[in-house]
Amino acid sequence: RSRSLAGPAGRWQPPTVTTSIASPAPPARSRLSWRRRRQLLGLAYVSPALVIVTIFFLVPLVLAFWISLTEWKVAGFQRFVGLDNYIRLLGDEKWLGALWFTTIYTIAVTAVTFMLGFALALLVRVRQRRFVMLRTAFYLPVVIGMAVSSFIFLYLFNDQVGAVNAVLRAVGLIDKDVAWLANPDTAFITLLILVVWKNAGFAMITLLIAMQAVPDELYEAAKVDGAGFRQMLRSITVPLILPTIALVLLLLVVGSYLAFDQFYVITRGGPNNSTITATYWIYNQAFVGFKFGYSTAMSVVLMLFLVILGAIQVRILRRDVTAS
């Protein structure tokens, strides 16, 4: 605050300046209580999600691990056996064979689905009306349930009334009907066609969204420098959508390892137990053999395997993103 005072002779004198005293800083205790209130408020916001995760994930996970340590009969009798179920898994040829087949199936399905989805995304990324219709057509199988799709393919590939044999005969590719589901190789091809047809649209639309987020200026600058389609794809598109590529691959791998519906509806593990997946064998041991403790141990092992596999994929992704 400034004041100007006149002396006794009426002469002007320099103003005197008075400085206001700053208010004292709030004590540390009040700051701590404010921070504590903010933390409690944040906890209140996330508490519904924590309750849901605890009830529907953490508690069943703990119970599943406990059941895997027991010999649990269908009538409710249980006997603690420790790690015997896990040790038994190491010598179970059916379980190891199911894991091996699931791995082969996962590699084939993931590779074909991703490549087809990537090619379709490149095809329909142009912002024109006709390509919008193609996107819709390619994505339609995704909204159909896997069980419904399996019944459709079960009818289409039927060796007596199926439309596939009729079409192949009409174009002259086969002379007699093919029993698609009676041979391990053709049954595997049938399942592969089904899953690729069902999931390629998902890979396409996910990759397409990532591709459309790449700035057009980068492609225009590359064209000015004389870069071709392959060079732009290798140097611009793929590096910039690498996180989305890793996400699609992760989802395809996890979904393939957990595949059940199509095997239950179409092959039931046949022919000659050649299409038994890990999840189908877990179902068989739990609800056919009523070995709940043993089947739960299989589920825990499969879950840990998928967690480790997903962590490895994320690790590789982060390293590639940092390098690029």
Side-chain angles (χ1 to χ4, degrees):
R1 220 162 38 120
S2 300
R3 293 186 305 176
S4 178
L5 299 176
R11 291 181 301 173
W12 178 86
Q13 293 182 356
T16 60
V17 179
T18 59
T19 58
S20 59
I21 301 175
S23 59
R29 185 175 180 181
S30 63
R31 290 201 304 268
L32 182 61
S33 61
W34 169 245
R35 188 178 304 169
R36 184 66 175 173
R37 287 196 298 268
R38 287 174 62 94
Q39 292 175 351
L40 292 176
L41 182 62
L43 183 61
Y45 282 134
V46 302
S47 58
L50 290 177
V51 171
I52 293 175
V53 170
T54 302
I55 295 176
F56 294 102
F57 179 75
L58 296 180
V59 173
L61 184 62
V62 173
L63 290 177
F65 182 71
W66 165 251
I67 294 173
S68 69
L69 302 177
T70 65
E71 183 182 353
W72 198 302
K73 299 296 183 181
V74 64
F77 169 77
Q78 54 179 312
R79 181 172 63 90
F80 183 79
V81 296
L83 299 177
D84 289 353
N85 287 329
Y86 294 95
I87 296 174
R88 181 182 170 188
L89 285 176
L90 299 177
D92 190 342
E93 295 183 359
K94 289 280 185 70
W95 166 248
L96 296 177
L99 274 180
W100 175 250
F101 171 77
T102 307
T103 302
I104 299 300
Y105 165 81
T106 299
I107 293 174
V109 165
T110 301
V112 178
T113 304
F114 176 79
M115 288 188 295
L116 180 59
F118 191 84
L120 293 177
L122 290 175
L123 175 65
V124 301
R125 68 174 175 174
V126 180
R127 294 180 177 88
Q128 294 182 7
R129 183 175 183 139
R130 55 181 177 177
F131 291 106
V132 173
M133 299 298 296
L134 286 177
R135 296 174 199 170
T136 305
F138 293 146
Y139 188 76
L140 276 179
V142 179
V143 302
I144 304 175
M146 180 58 78
V148 176
S149 303
S150 301
F151 277 109
I152 293 174
F153 270 69
L154 181 63
Y155 172 78
L156 290 176
F157 284 86
N158 188 281
D159 57 341
Q160 297 179 356
V161 297
V164 173
N165 282 333
V167 172
L168 293 179
R169 284 199 314 269
V171 298
L173 294 179
I174 59 174
D175 297 329
K176 59 180 181 179
D177 293 338
V178 177
W180 294 94
L181 305 179
N183 182 275
D185 295 332
T186 54
F188 184 84
I189 293 174
T190 302
L191 293 167
L192 180 64
I193 295 173
L194 164 63
V195 178
V196 171
W197 171 80
K198 177 76 170 60
N199 295 329
F202 161 77
M204 176 204 70
I205 204 69
T206 308
L207 294 171
L208 176 63
I209 294 172
M211 289 179 183
Q212 290 183 340
V214 178
D216 294 335
E217 293 79 5
L218 297 178
Y219 295 109
E220 293 174 359
K223 289 180 181 178
V224 171
D225 292 337
F229 174 77
R230 292 183 180 179
Q231 291 175 321
M232 289 189 291
L233 184 65
R234 183 176 63 253
S235 303
I236 299 176
T237 305
V238 173
L240 292 180
I241 69 170
L242 194 59
T244 306
I245 290 176
L247 174 64
V248 171
L249 290 176
L250 180 62
L251 294 177
L252 290 176
V253 168
V254 173
S256 299
Y257 265 104
L258 298 179
F260 174 77
D261 296 8
Q262 59 269 37
F263 294 93
Y264 181 79
V265 173
I266 295 179
T267 63
R268 293 293 182 98
N272 299 324
N273 297 327
S274 61
T275 59
I276 295 179
T277 61
T279 53
Y280 186 85
W281 187 243
I282 292 172
Y283 161 82
N284 182 276
Q285 293 297 295
F287 299 105
V288 178
F290 300 108
K291 302 174 183 177
F292 294 109
Y294 187 55
S295 62
T296 306
M298 295 180 186
S299 301
V300 172
V301 170
L302 182 60
M303 181 197 67
L304 293 176
F305 175 76
L306 291 178
V307 168
I308 295 173
L309 186 62
I312 293 174
Q313 286 185 284
V314 172
R315 181 84 173 178
I316 295 174
L317 164 66
R318 288 180 177 176
R319 185 176 61 187
D320 291 343
V321 170
T322 304
S324 59

